[in-house]
Amino acid sequence: MEELAREAGITTRTLRFYRERGLIPPPRREGRIAWYGHQHLTRLRTIAALLERGHTLNGIADLASAFESGRDVGEVLGLGEPTEEEPVRLTPEELADHFGDQVTAENLAAALELGYLATDGEEIVHVSRRLLDVSAALVDEGVPLAAVLAAGARVREHADALAALFADLLHTHAAGDADVVRLRPLAKSVVEAELSMALDRRLRAPGD
């Protein structure tokens, strides 16, 4: 416990308080020995980053409780039943394989706040394999992970607005819930086509 507290930059008293509040998972026990590992240090660094962002300990405790309550991943991430996105379970080491030294406490906190990541015991869950692969590809191309996450937050705002527009349209003019589900792909096709044309306009070189 003393080694973990020193690595995390906190006191053992604070660590005990976090443990009592359920903010970190219990250690692995071998007889009378309690082992803390990399996942505990990652959680403590994430707590520190969330506190710096203005989150309260009560709010962080609620998040930790939700992550470890055994609920379905979609429910934990506020998605309800999964639709087309496939959640991905990762170890901390596998996450580092995707993003290298950019797996910082600040980036973890931002990803948690955005809803891209959740923790389930010792595993990390990413909400979408497609988003994970795209994010890793952008980082490989030299785009900082912090910038990818910031862009993701802005895309989320626009996507929510577009989803609200189409949901209102379909609920107003479709015959029933079954038709809304059936027509859902049409809304996606409109957005994909408009985004494609918008990218053509934005990326076209001056003078072309």
Side-chain angles (χ1 to χ4, degrees):
M1 182 176 285
E2 291 178 354
E3 292 177 8
L4 177 64
R6 183 168 58 251
E7 287 289 330
I10 60 177
T11 66
T12 54
R13 182 178 180 181
T14 298
L15 179 55
R16 288 193 182 93
F17 176 72
Y18 287 171
R19 178 70 190 89
E20 291 168 359
R21 292 289 300 274
L23 292 170
I24 62 172
R28 177 174 59 85
R29 292 194 174 274
E30 293 182 2
R32 300 180 62 184
I33 301 176
W35 294 99
Y36 291 91
H38 177 75
Q39 74 274 18
H40 295 93
L41 182 59
T42 298
R43 177 68 66 85
L44 288 172
R45 288 174 173 168
T46 301
I47 290 170
L50 288 170
L51 288 172
E52 288 180 2
R53 285 171 168 261
H55 292 267
T56 65
L57 282 178
N58 285 337
I60 297 172
D62 289 342
L63 282 173
S65 176
F67 292 157
E68 295 167 1
S69 64
R71 291 183 291 167
D72 178 78
V73 170
E75 185 182 352
V76 169
L77 297 176
L79 295 176
E81 289 298 318
T83 53
E84 299 175 62
E85 297 310 311
E86 176 191 357
V88 185
R89 290 182 173 273
L90 304 160
T91 64
E93 293 75 18
E94 288 170 336
L95 187 66
D97 287 340
H98 281 83
F99 300 109
D101 59 2
Q102 297 200 47
V103 182
T104 64
E106 292 75 16
N107 286 337
L108 283 172
L112 284 167
E113 190 171 5
L114 186 56
Y116 281 180
L117 294 183
T119 60
D120 186 8
E122 296 185 3
E123 288 186 310
I124 297 168
V125 182
H126 196 289
V127 67
S128 166
R129 181 176 296 279
R130 286 198 294 182
L131 287 176
L132 173 64
D133 291 343
V134 169
S135 298
L138 288 169
V139 170
D140 285 342
E141 292 294 333
V143 182
L145 182 55
V148 173
L149 293 170
R154 294 187 62 190
V155 169
R156 173 73 55 81
E157 294 176 4
H158 294 295
D160 282 342
L162 288 169
L165 186 157
F166 280 106
D168 290 343
L169 179 69
L170 295 179
H171 281 298
T172 299
H173 299 285
D177 290 342
D179 284 337
V180 170
V181 173
R182 181 173 57 84
L183 296 173
R184 183 179 187 270
L186 299 181
K188 287 181 53 185
S189 295
V190 171
V191 173
E192 289 173 358
E194 286 289 354
L195 178 59
S196 177
M197 292 187 291
L199 285 170
D200 288 342
R201 292 192 296 270
R202 290 283 184 174
L203 299 179
R204 188 177 295 121
D208 287 354

